[in-house]
Amino acid sequence: MKDSLVLLGRIPAHPDSRCWFLAWNPAGTLLASCGGDRSVRIWGREGDSWICKSVLCEGHQRTVRKVAWSPCGNYLASASFDATTCIWKKNQDDFECVTTLEGHENEVKSVAWAPSGNLLATCSRDKSVWVWEVDEEDEYECVSVLNSHTQDVKHVLWHPSQELLASASYDDTVKLYREEEDDWVCCATLEGHESTVWSLAFDPSGQRLASCSDDRTVRIWRQYLPGNEQGVACNGSDPSWKCICTLSGFHSRTIYDIAWCQLTGALATACGDDAIRVFEEDPGSDPQRPTFSLTAHLPQAHSQDVNCVAWNPKEQGLLASCSDDGELAFWKYQPSEGP
Amino acid sequence: MAGSQDMFDAIVMADERFHGEGYQEGYEEGSSLGLIEGRQHGTFHGAKIGSEIGCYQGFAFAWRCLLHSCATEKDSKKMKVLESLIGMIQKFPFDDPTYDKLHEDLDRIRGKFKQLCSLLNVQPDFKISAEGSGLSF
């Protein structure tokens, strides 16, 4: 199992600082990293190694907590503890800050682009989630401020195909939002985690959502539409989400990030015990009660907390991770053929 | 004979009786003190919420006048959000503290106000205090 995850290379991406997050561009050719040194770095492949192609250091006054690429790959958004979100436009190897989104009262914790490319979501320690709309002239406008969570919101994520937004919070819940008559409303609250929910990931089909938490578990939630044959009750025309699987006993510390490979369906986790783990769904498991097995466990993947794991969207088995130790690492995941 | 039974009863149960009476008196006094304290608490918090919402309403009315003349598409978007905020405030049941969606509606009003400020490019700096608000834009 240890051989399933092989180290390809390590880079001191944000030296003397923490590397907080990583994001692959849609083409899978560039990797953006951000950190406590207030910068965003863009990494590209040159032969067998990864080199730093750009450094975006003039955008923020404090830690950059998350970065996200637009679906077209031409824009990069960076969310910072300085309460702003910068939008960078890519011009070959250069990035120019074209807008700075303000409004949150304090640290912005996450940013995410909707698959349509027209909407952006941000969330903050001020407990709110903001939805922004961008027009053809790159003008951003706030379309909704959602105050559903009762504590710090850690992560936002859009559904891969529906116009549905998910958020994870220090209040132990995951909330889902959709548009209703020109405004956004909270259409579901997923309860079950016993502590802060740190991150979220949708499966390739968008029917399932994975959440990871400070309670050291991963939960898989499934969407049930009204009139479903399993008899799961729905509220009016809103789908219901039910927890169909809980992965517990695998992680010894907080799970900070989770990534669901869109190519293979493998689930990777980033843990506070410095390890990276990969899970795969057991073939033939009941879709309503799936079971997952641990197929890779690499202790000491980093020398400190692993903050993020990210699957390359085009190259199967290529996984990137980053840590509080400021390093970025690349891994090849190859599940062993088995006896 | 019956009389002497009552007399002994009175002595034996005296402790319990005084306890009971004392409790009763205390409970009644506590209830009325509680009512007074609760009323003060409610007055204070009710005023705070009323003040906050009143602030938003005044802000919205003022901006409605300011934007009245403008007719660009951006302004009509702002007007829409403005009217939405005013509508939410006017629908809010100010006289029913037991309204079950009180906090939910309040949060929606606050969210709508923040969205409006973002569209108007105005940074409110509210200090809703007992002495009265200190607004600065």
Side-chain angles (χ1 to χ4, degrees):
Chain A
M1 215 164 38
K2 194 174 171 178
D3 298 333
S4 307
L5 210 52
V6 172
L7 178 70
L8 296 173
R10 232 183 251 284
I11 304 174
H14 296 267
D16 300 324
S17 187
R18 290 177 220 264
C19 185
W20 276 118
F21 203 73
L22 300 171
W24 290 100
N25 68 342
T29 54
L30 297 172
L31 182 68
S33 71
C34 62
D37 60 1
R38 307 187 297 274
S39 75
V40 173
R41 281 166 190 267
I42 313 294
W43 306 87
R45 211 179 219 155
E46 199 135 292
D48 271 340
S49 52
W50 291 82
I51 57 145
C52 181
K53 305 204 102 181
S54 317
V55 182
L56 283 48
C57 50
E58 299 289 302
H60 292 291
Q61 263 87 64
R62 287 185 62 193
T63 292
V64 185
R65 185 62 179 84
K66 293 234 166 80
V67 279
W69 292 90
S70 64
C72 62
N74 295 327
Y75 296 88
L76 185 70
S78 58
S80 168
F81 284 178
D82 68 6
T84 71
T85 304
C86 280
I87 309 293
W88 308 82
K89 186 167 184 172
K90 184 176 187 290
N91 187 359
Q92 254 128 58
D93 277 349
D94 276 319
F95 284 79
E96 187 200 339
C97 178
V98 294
T99 313
T100 301
L101 304 178
E102 295 179 338
H104 279 297
E105 291 170 35
N106 44 48
E107 294 89 336
V108 188
K109 297 298 179 93
S110 187
V111 59
W113 294 85
S116 63
N118 293 342
L119 295 171
L120 189 76
T122 58
C123 68
S124 159
R125 181 169 68 83
D126 68 8
K127 308 173 198 168
S128 67
V129 171
W130 288 48
V131 182
W132 308 79
E133 199 171 66
V134 52
D135 64 18
E136 311 81 41
E137 280 124 48
D138 286 353
E139 299 266 320
Y140 289 77
E141 203 174 71
C142 174
V143 296
S144 194
V145 173
L146 297 151
N147 287 319
S148 302
H149 279 296
T150 56
Q151 296 286 357
D152 187 355
V153 190
K154 301 290 190 187
H155 199 72
V156 275
L157 182 69
W158 290 92
H159 189 279
S161 51
Q162 294 167 34
E163 225 156 58
L164 183 70
L165 179 65
S167 65
S169 166
Y170 181 71
D171 69 8
D172 309 352
T173 70
V174 172
K175 282 183 186 274
L176 296 164
Y177 312 85
R178 61 171 174 77
E179 197 172 8
E180 192 181 79
E181 291 167 20
D182 272 353
D183 213 348
W184 285 76
V185 295
C186 175
C187 58
T189 299
L190 277 43
E191 291 171 315
H193 277 298
E194 289 162 21
S195 190
T196 304
V197 187
W198 279 98
S199 192
L200 302 165
F202 278 102
D203 78 347
S205 70
Q207 278 186 317
R208 295 180 301 183
L209 174 66
S211 58
C212 65
S213 162
D214 177 58
D215 69 5
R216 294 168 280 140
T217 71
V218 167
R219 278 170 200 256
I220 314 287
W221 311 80
R222 190 189 188 86
Q223 185 182 46
Y224 289 92
L225 301 170
N228 63 81
E229 51 189 39
Q230 287 78 28
V232 177
C234 290
N235 195 0
S237 57
D238 279 334
S240 240
W241 290 77
K242 207 175 100 168
C243 180
I244 56 170
C245 179
T246 302
L247 300 174
S248 56
F250 295 100
H251 301 82
S252 59
R253 290 267 159 86
T254 306
I255 311 169
Y256 290 113
D257 197 24
I258 186 158
W260 212 323
C261 183
Q262 301 296 292
L263 299 171
T264 65
L267 256 178
T269 61
C271 188
D273 64 6
D274 312 349
I276 293 173
R277 293 170 179 80
V278 183
F279 297 84
E280 296 228 45
E281 191 173 354
D282 297 327
S285 76
D286 177 6
Q288 314 308 326
R289 310 213 109 245
T291 55
F292 286 77
S293 295
L294 182 68
T295 54
H297 173 202
L298 197 70
Q300 294 301 103
H302 287 276
S303 58
Q304 288 183 52
D305 288 2
V306 189
N307 293 323
C308 178
V309 275
W311 293 103
N312 185 294
K314 297 289 178 201
E315 197 178 315
Q316 223 178 72
L318 179 58
L319 182 72
S321 65
C322 70
S323 163
D324 271 356
D325 63 13
E327 287 192 343
L328 201 178
F330 295 94
W331 310 88
K332 180 90 190 128
Y333 170 68
Q334 229 156 349
S336 41
E337 297 305 303
Chain B
M1 192 92 117
S4 62
Q5 289 272 46
D6 281 346
M7 189 173 65
F8 283 121
D9 247 357
I11 295 165
V12 161
M13 303 300 290
D15 195 36
E16 215 169 300
R17 187 165 40 90
F18 290 140
H19 195 272
E21 281 171 17
Y23 179 86
Q24 244 341 93
E25 274 176 39
Y27 189 92
E28 278 159 22
E29 189 170 329
S31 295
S32 69
L33 280 176
L35 266 169
I36 294 167
E37 192 182 319
R39 192 165 203 280
Q40 284 172 345
H41 195 79
T43 310
F44 178 73
H45 284 280
K48 214 166 143 192
I49 292 174
S51 169
E52 185 190 347
I53 308 296
C55 214
Y56 299 155
Q57 191 178 49
F59 177 89
F61 283 158
W63 275 98
R64 190 161 63 172
C65 292
L66 288 171
L67 289 178
H68 192 61
S69 41
C70 307
T72 69
E73 211 199 293
K74 280 220 181 283
D75 286 337
S76 68
K77 180 76 186 273
K78 292 170 189 169
M79 278 301 266
K80 204 163 170 212
V81 175
L82 242 173
E83 294 295 349
S84 173
L85 177 63
I86 292 172
M88 275 186 204
I89 294 173
Q90 287 174 338
K91 267 201 334 215
F92 188 79
F94 289 99
D95 49 7
D96 182 11
T98 61
Y99 174 51
D100 60 349
K101 293 204 171 142
L102 189 97
H103 289 288
E104 205 176 296
D105 281 7
L106 273 176
D107 278 338
R108 282 185 62 227
I109 289 172
R110 287 171 182 139
K112 191 54 71 173
F113 173 72
K114 288 218 125 146
Q115 185 202 351
L116 182 62
C117 286
S118 176
L119 291 174
L120 294 172
N121 211 1
V122 157
Q123 303 306 324
D125 179 21
F126 291 110
K127 282 165 186 65
I128 314 274
S129 54
E131 310 96 58
S133 62
L135 286 175
S136 68
F137 291 102

Short mmCIF file of all heavy atoms in Angstrom, two decimals, chain A residues 199-224:
data_model
loop_
_atom_site.label_atom_id
_atom_site.label_comp_id
_atom_site.label_asym_id
_atom_site.label_seq_id
_atom_site.Cartn_x
_atom_site.Cartn_y
_atom_site.Cartn_z
N SER A 199 -13.23 20.87 4.37
CA SER A 199 -13.23 20.91 2.91
C SER A 199 -14.29 20.01 2.30
O SER A 199 -14.90 19.19 2.99
CB SER A 199 -11.84 20.52 2.41
OG SER A 199 -11.72 20.82 1.03
N LEU A 200 -14.50 20.19 0.98
CA LEU A 200 -15.54 19.47 0.25
C LEU A 200 -15.03 19.03 -1.11
O LEU A 200 -14.13 19.66 -1.67
CB LEU A 200 -16.73 20.40 0.02
CG LEU A 200 -17.39 21.03 1.23
CD1 LEU A 200 -18.29 22.18 0.81
CD2 LEU A 200 -18.23 19.99 1.98
N ALA A 201 -15.64 17.97 -1.66
CA ALA A 201 -15.32 17.56 -3.03
C ALA A 201 -16.50 16.82 -3.61
O ALA A 201 -17.10 15.98 -2.94
CB ALA A 201 -14.09 16.65 -3.02
N PHE A 202 -16.85 17.12 -4.85
CA PHE A 202 -17.94 16.41 -5.53
C PHE A 202 -17.33 15.26 -6.31
O PHE A 202 -16.21 15.36 -6.80
CB PHE A 202 -18.67 17.34 -6.50
CG PHE A 202 -19.69 18.22 -5.85
CD1 PHE A 202 -19.43 19.56 -5.58
CD2 PHE A 202 -20.95 17.71 -5.48
CE1 PHE A 202 -20.38 20.36 -4.97
CE2 PHE A 202 -21.90 18.52 -4.87
CZ PHE A 202 -21.62 19.85 -4.61
N ASP A 203 -18.08 14.19 -6.48
CA ASP A 203 -17.58 13.08 -7.30
C ASP A 203 -17.77 13.47 -8.77
O ASP A 203 -18.45 14.44 -9.07
CB ASP A 203 -18.27 11.76 -6.92
CG ASP A 203 -19.67 11.62 -7.48
OD1 ASP A 203 -20.24 12.63 -7.96
OD2 ASP A 203 -20.21 10.51 -7.42
N PRO A 204 -17.16 12.72 -9.69
CA PRO A 204 -17.23 13.12 -11.11
C PRO A 204 -18.67 13.31 -11.62
O PRO A 204 -18.91 14.17 -12.45
CB PRO A 204 -16.54 11.97 -11.85
CG PRO A 204 -15.61 11.39 -10.84
CD PRO A 204 -16.28 11.55 -9.52
N SER A 205 -19.62 12.53 -11.12
CA SER A 205 -20.99 12.64 -11.61
C SER A 205 -21.75 13.79 -10.95
O SER A 205 -22.78 14.22 -11.44
CB SER A 205 -21.77 11.35 -11.34
OG SER A 205 -22.00 11.24 -9.95
N GLY A 206 -21.26 14.29 -9.83
CA GLY A 206 -21.94 15.35 -9.11
C GLY A 206 -23.08 14.84 -8.24
O GLY A 206 -23.79 15.61 -7.61
N GLN A 207 -23.23 13.52 -8.17
CA GLN A 207 -24.33 12.99 -7.36
C GLN A 207 -23.95 12.83 -5.90
O GLN A 207 -24.81 12.68 -5.05
CB GLN A 207 -24.72 11.60 -7.87
CG GLN A 207 -25.64 11.68 -9.06
CD GLN A 207 -26.10 10.29 -9.44
OE1 GLN A 207 -25.31 9.34 -9.46
NE2 GLN A 207 -27.37 10.15 -9.71
N ARG A 208 -22.62 12.82 -5.67
CA ARG A 208 -22.17 12.63 -4.29
C ARG A 208 -21.20 13.72 -3.89
O ARG A 208 -20.46 14.26 -4.72
CB ARG A 208 -21.49 11.27 -4.15
CG ARG A 208 -22.45 10.13 -4.36
CD ARG A 208 -21.78 8.80 -4.24
NE ARG A 208 -20.70 8.62 -5.18
CZ ARG A 208 -20.00 7.49 -5.27
NH1 ARG A 208 -20.29 6.48 -4.48
NH2 ARG A 208 -19.01 7.39 -6.13
N LEU A 209 -21.25 14.04 -2.61
CA LEU A 209 -20.39 15.07 -2.06
C LEU A 209 -19.61 14.47 -0.92
O LEU A 209 -20.17 13.76 -0.09
CB LEU A 209 -21.26 16.24 -1.54
CG LEU A 209 -20.56 17.38 -0.80
CD1 LEU A 209 -19.64 18.14 -1.73
CD2 LEU A 209 -21.61 18.34 -0.23
N ALA A 210 -18.29 14.72 -0.90
CA ALA A 210 -17.47 14.24 0.21
C ALA A 210 -17.10 15.43 1.07
O ALA A 210 -16.79 16.50 0.54
CB ALA A 210 -16.21 13.56 -0.32
N SER A 211 -17.12 15.23 2.38
CA SER A 211 -16.73 16.31 3.29
C SER A 211 -15.72 15.74 4.27
O SER A 211 -15.78 14.56 4.61
CB SER A 211 -17.95 16.84 4.05
OG SER A 211 -18.57 15.79 4.79
N CYS A 212 -14.76 16.56 4.69
CA CYS A 212 -13.78 16.09 5.66
C CYS A 212 -13.76 17.05 6.84
O CYS A 212 -14.05 18.25 6.69
CB CYS A 212 -12.39 15.97 5.02
SG CYS A 212 -11.69 17.53 4.49
N SER A 213 -13.42 16.52 8.00
CA SER A 213 -13.63 17.33 9.19
C SER A 213 -12.54 17.19 10.25
O SER A 213 -11.71 16.29 10.22
CB SER A 213 -15.00 16.94 9.77
OG SER A 213 -15.14 17.33 11.11
N ASP A 214 -12.62 18.09 11.20
CA ASP A 214 -11.77 18.08 12.38
C ASP A 214 -12.12 16.87 13.25
O ASP A 214 -11.37 16.47 14.13
CB ASP A 214 -12.01 19.39 13.15
CG ASP A 214 -11.22 19.47 14.45
OD1 ASP A 214 -9.99 19.38 14.40
OD2 ASP A 214 -11.87 19.62 15.51
N ASP A 215 -13.29 16.27 12.99
CA ASP A 215 -13.69 15.09 13.78
C ASP A 215 -13.01 13.82 13.26
O ASP A 215 -13.36 12.71 13.65
CB ASP A 215 -15.23 14.92 13.80
CG ASP A 215 -15.84 14.51 12.46
OD1 ASP A 215 -15.07 14.25 11.49
OD2 ASP A 215 -17.07 14.45 12.37
N ARG A 216 -12.05 14.00 12.32
CA ARG A 216 -11.22 12.92 11.77
C ARG A 216 -12.00 11.92 10.90
O ARG A 216 -11.55 10.79 10.69
CB ARG A 216 -10.45 12.18 12.89
CG ARG A 216 -9.41 13.08 13.55
CD ARG A 216 -8.82 12.51 14.82
NE ARG A 216 -9.69 12.72 15.95
CZ ARG A 216 -9.90 11.83 16.92
NH1 ARG A 216 -9.32 10.65 16.89
NH2 ARG A 216 -10.72 12.12 17.91
N THR A 217 -13.18 12.33 10.43
CA THR A 217 -13.91 11.44 9.52
C THR A 217 -14.12 12.13 8.18
O THR A 217 -14.04 13.35 8.05
CB THR A 217 -15.31 11.06 10.06
OG1 THR A 217 -16.15 12.21 10.00
CG2 THR A 217 -15.26 10.52 11.47
N VAL A 218 -14.39 11.27 7.19
CA VAL A 218 -14.81 11.75 5.87
C VAL A 218 -16.24 11.26 5.76
O VAL A 218 -16.53 10.11 6.13
CB VAL A 218 -13.95 11.10 4.75
CG1 VAL A 218 -14.59 11.32 3.38
CG2 VAL A 218 -12.54 11.66 4.77
N ARG A 219 -17.13 12.11 5.30
CA ARG A 219 -18.50 11.66 5.08
C ARG A 219 -18.85 11.82 3.62
O ARG A 219 -18.44 12.79 2.98
CB ARG A 219 -19.48 12.49 5.93
CG ARG A 219 -19.55 11.98 7.35
CD ARG A 219 -20.31 12.88 8.27
NE ARG A 219 -19.91 12.54 9.63
CZ ARG A 219 -20.68 11.84 10.48
NH1 ARG A 219 -21.87 11.43 10.13
NH2 ARG A 219 -20.21 11.55 11.68
N ILE A 220 -19.58 10.83 3.10
CA ILE A 220 -20.04 10.89 1.72
C ILE A 220 -21.55 11.12 1.77
O ILE A 220 -22.27 10.40 2.47
CB ILE A 220 -19.75 9.56 0.97
CG1 ILE A 220 -18.31 9.07 1.22
CG2 ILE A 220 -20.04 9.72 -0.52
CD1 ILE A 220 -17.23 9.86 0.53
N TRP A 221 -22.00 12.11 1.04
CA TRP A 221 -23.42 12.45 1.02
C TRP A 221 -23.96 12.23 -0.39
O TRP A 221 -23.28 12.52 -1.37
CB TRP A 221 -23.62 13.93 1.39
CG TRP A 221 -22.88 14.34 2.62
CD1 TRP A 221 -21.55 14.66 2.70
CD2 TRP A 221 -23.40 14.48 3.95
NE1 TRP A 221 -21.22 15.00 4.00
CE2 TRP A 221 -22.33 14.90 4.78
CE3 TRP A 221 -24.67 14.31 4.50
CZ2 TRP A 221 -22.50 15.14 6.14
CZ3 TRP A 221 -24.83 14.55 5.87
CH2 TRP A 221 -23.75 14.96 6.67
N ARG A 222 -25.18 11.77 -0.47
CA ARG A 222 -25.78 11.54 -1.78
C ARG A 222 -27.01 12.39 -1.97
O ARG A 222 -27.79 12.59 -1.03
CB ARG A 222 -26.15 10.07 -1.93
CG ARG A 222 -26.55 9.74 -3.34
CD ARG A 222 -27.12 8.37 -3.50
NE ARG A 222 -27.28 8.08 -4.92
CZ ARG A 222 -26.33 7.59 -5.69
NH1 ARG A 222 -25.17 7.28 -5.17
NH2 ARG A 222 -26.54 7.40 -6.98
N GLN A 223 -27.17 12.87 -3.20
CA GLN A 223 -28.33 13.69 -3.50
C GLN A 223 -29.51 12.82 -3.89
O GLN A 223 -29.38 11.92 -4.72
CB GLN A 223 -27.97 14.62 -4.68
CG GLN A 223 -29.06 15.61 -5.02
CD GLN A 223 -28.69 16.47 -6.22
OE1 GLN A 223 -28.22 15.99 -7.24
NE2 GLN A 223 -28.91 17.76 -6.09
N TYR A 224 -30.65 13.06 -3.30
CA TYR A 224 -31.88 12.34 -3.65
C TYR A 224 -32.88 13.34 -4.17
O TYR A 224 -33.24 14.31 -3.49
CB TYR A 224 -32.45 11.59 -2.43
CG TYR A 224 -31.60 10.41 -2.04
CD1 TYR A 224 -30.58 10.54 -1.10
CD2 TYR A 224 -31.79 9.17 -2.62
CE1 TYR A 224 -29.78 9.46 -0.75
CE2 TYR A 224 -31.00 8.07 -2.28
CZ TYR A 224 -29.99 8.23 -1.35
OH TYR A 224 -29.21 7.16 -1.01
#
